[in-house]
């Protein structure tokens, strides 16, 4: 189609998708505008599709599929590989072989974590395995490699091959959003594994980072009696504003119905586990391999729920879209 409009010199006409162009107040010059001159908009919020960018989702769990769907809905050219074919197509995504996806992608997005300890692509939905080095050598020049929790070695290997790495798990906005999804999932686990109402529970929480803060706010609002252990004075000061009880030591834990660990180091050793009540629930929200002894809990008959990567189970769509928005901020600049 051809559209004849009047435009100012050196101006660009941006037309929201499926909208007609209004001709008004451009008296200086007239030229014919073809589709090649038009930048399409995917919605009315000013979030513009980069139609020249090809996105390849490579591995990851179901969060990666929701991430791919987000990019597709924003107008990007998206394909997926090293996922489940049926699940990918259910999400409306094109499933292709890795060599097809990687050779022409401007941005490759991996899962969280991006790479396993064996230096293979993290692809839990796919039986096929791909060495991380093979992936790097399949990328085209200038490709941006994105993923979550890259190891130092993985970043170094990518740099040696000339590729920039963006770790979306370090994005501050993503971390805040993910903390609330984790807290919601933890509350779901507490409800399923206890016999009392949340408003009747006494809960002990280790640490006062993002996840602990979100969880404490939720539980306090629901009537739980919450005690937060925090080593740093500034964290204790913040915790007092929730409000909740605050302590700088862990001694007798027998009074608590639920104990939640959010820190990536061992605070609940054998001596502390000995003081836990026999009907109590321990929820470990730390990353693998976990920082509460499963053997110690089993020996003492304590109910332990180890829940790493909880948003992938409790809110995979929200978590995947949050990661996708973090990548978009890297591609397009802040404000998404």
């Amino acid at each position: 189609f051809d559209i004849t409009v009047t435009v100012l010199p050196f101006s660009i006409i941006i037309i929201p998708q499926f909208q007609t162009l209004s001709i008004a107040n451009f008296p200086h010059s007239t030229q014919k505008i073809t589709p090649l001159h038009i930048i399409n908009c995917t919605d009315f919020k000013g979030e513009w599709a980069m139609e020249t960018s090809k996105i390849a989702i490579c591995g990851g769990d179901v969060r990666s599929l929701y991430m791919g769907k987000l990019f597709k809905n924003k107008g990007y050219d998206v394909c997926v590989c090293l996922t489940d074919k049926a699940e990918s197509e259910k999400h409306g995504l094109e499933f292709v072989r890795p060599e097809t996806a990687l050779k022409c992608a401007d941005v490759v997005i991996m899962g969280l974590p991006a790479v396993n300890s064996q230096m293979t692509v993290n692809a839990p939905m796919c039986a096929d395995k791909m060495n991380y080095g093979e992936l790097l050598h399949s990328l085209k020049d200038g490709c941006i490699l994105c993923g979550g929790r890259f190891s130092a070695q993985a970043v170094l290997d990518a740099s040696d091959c000339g590729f920039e790495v963006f770790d979306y798990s370090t994005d501050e906005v993503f971390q805040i959003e993910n903390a609330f999804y984790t807290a919601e999932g933890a509350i779901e686990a507490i409800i399923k594994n206890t016999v009392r109402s949340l408003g009747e529970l006494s809960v002990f929480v280790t640490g006062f980072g993002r996840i602990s803060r979100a969880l404490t706010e939720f539980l306090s609002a629901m009537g739980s009696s919450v005690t937060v252990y925090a080593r740093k004075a500034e964290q204790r000061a913040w915790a007092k504003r929730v409000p909740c009880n605050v302590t700088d030591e862990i001694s007798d834990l027998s009074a608590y119905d639920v104990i939640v660990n959010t820190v990536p180091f061992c605070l609940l050793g054998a001596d502390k586990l000995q003081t836990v009540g026999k009907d109590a629930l321990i929820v470990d929200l730390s990353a693998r391999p976990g920082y509460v002894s499963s053997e110690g809990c089993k020996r003492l008959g304590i109910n332990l729920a180890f829940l790493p990567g909880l948003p992938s189970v409790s809110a995979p769509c929200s978590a995947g879209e949050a990661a996708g928005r973090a990548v978009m901020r890297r591609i397009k600049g802040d404000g998404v």
Side-chain angles (χ1 to χ4, degrees):
F1 60 91
D2 289 336
I3 304 173
T4 301
V5 296
T6 304
V7 297
L8 290 168
F10 310 111
S11 62
I12 299 175
I13 303 301
I14 300 177
I15 305 175
Q17 197 169 10
F18 309 123
Q19 299 296 294
T20 58
L21 184 65
S22 175
I23 304 173
N25 301 321
F26 295 113
H28 297 287
S29 62
T30 301
Q31 68 182 68
K32 184 171 286 187
I33 303 297
T34 70
L36 291 178
H37 294 88
I38 298 173
I39 302 174
N40 286 326
C41 175
T42 59
D43 54 35
F44 305 108
K45 299 178 182 178
E47 297 172 357
W48 305 101
M50 294 175 61
E51 295 181 278
T52 58
S53 290
K54 296 183 181 296
I55 308 290
I57 304 294
C58 186
D61 54 39
V62 68
R63 289 173 291 186
S64 294
L65 299 183
Y66 284 109
M67 200 186 321
K69 189 174 181 179
L70 173 71
F71 275 95
K72 182 179 179 181
N73 289 341
K74 294 294 183 182
Y76 290 80
D77 183 358
V78 180
C79 65
V80 299
C81 64
L82 296 180
T83 59
D84 180 84
K85 185 175 187 293
E87 280 294 312
S88 301
E89 292 176 346
K90 187 172 76 174
H91 284 76
L93 300 171
E94 180 187 8
F95 179 87
V96 299
R97 296 291 302 168
E99 55 269 23
T100 302
L102 300 175
K103 68 181 180 181
C104 59
D106 301 299
V107 181
V108 170
I109 308 176
M110 304 174 70
L112 197 170
V115 183
N116 294 320
S117 57
Q118 299 83 11
M119 295 303 286
T120 58
V121 175
N122 178 32
M125 294 191 292
C126 181
D128 296 335
K129 302 300 178 186
M130 185 177 198
N131 184 274
Y132 179 59
E134 182 184 353
L135 177 143
L136 292 176
H137 286 96
S138 300
L139 303 179
K140 75 174 190 178
D141 291 344
C143 178
I144 300 174
L145 183 61
C146 305
R149 291 209 305 268
F150 281 98
S151 66
Q153 185 60 55
V155 174
L156 180 61
D157 290 351
S159 178
D160 288 344
C161 292
F163 296 110
E164 175 191 348
V165 168
F166 171 66
D167 189 332
Y168 54 73
S169 69
T170 64
D171 179 88
E172 181 69 20
V173 176
F174 170 78
Q175 290 178 345
I176 293 170
E177 293 175 331
N178 209 52
F180 279 93
Y181 306 146
T182 302
E184 290 173 358
I187 289 174
E188 180 183 5
I190 291 170
I191 292 172
K192 287 182 177 179
N193 289 280
T194 56
V195 294
R196 289 190 176 278
S197 163
L198 288 173
E200 299 176 354
L201 293 178
S202 179
V203 183
F204 186 86
V205 181
T206 63
F208 201 66
R210 297 178 188 86
I211 293 174
S212 176
R213 186 175 302 187
L215 180 60
T216 301
E217 290 178 0
F218 282 148
L219 289 172
S220 296
M222 294 176 184
S224 301
S225 173
V226 182
T227 299
V228 169
Y229 164 80
R231 294 186 301 173
K232 297 179 180 179
E234 57 267 32
Q235 289 182 328
R236 295 195 297 273
W238 277 113
K240 290 177 182 178
R241 302 299 185 272
V242 171
C244 63
N245 303 311
V246 181
T247 182
D248 60 354
E249 62 179 20
I250 301 176
S251 53
D252 185 2
L253 297 172
S254 61
Y256 300 102
D257 303 299
V258 180
I259 299 160
V260 183
N261 178 58
T262 69
V263 299
F265 45 87
C266 183
L267 289 175
L268 303 176
D271 57 331
K272 301 297 189 298
L273 291 178
Q274 291 281 357
T275 71
V276 175
K278 62 183 181 67
D279 296 323
L281 167 69
I282 297 180
V283 179
D284 187 4
L285 299 178
S286 63
R288 297 185 190 279
Y291 291 88
V292 178
S293 171
S294 58
E295 288 299 319
C297 288
K298 185 177 180 179
R299 186 171 59 254
L300 294 169
I302 299 171
N303 184 10
L304 170 65
F306 176 43
L307 304 173
L310 191 52
S312 67
V313 178
S314 63
C317 178
S318 298
E321 289 180 349
R325 289 191 295 271
V327 175
M328 285 187 183
R329 284 190 288 274
R330 165 60 190 84
I331 297 173
K332 304 192 303 183
D334 203 357
V336 177

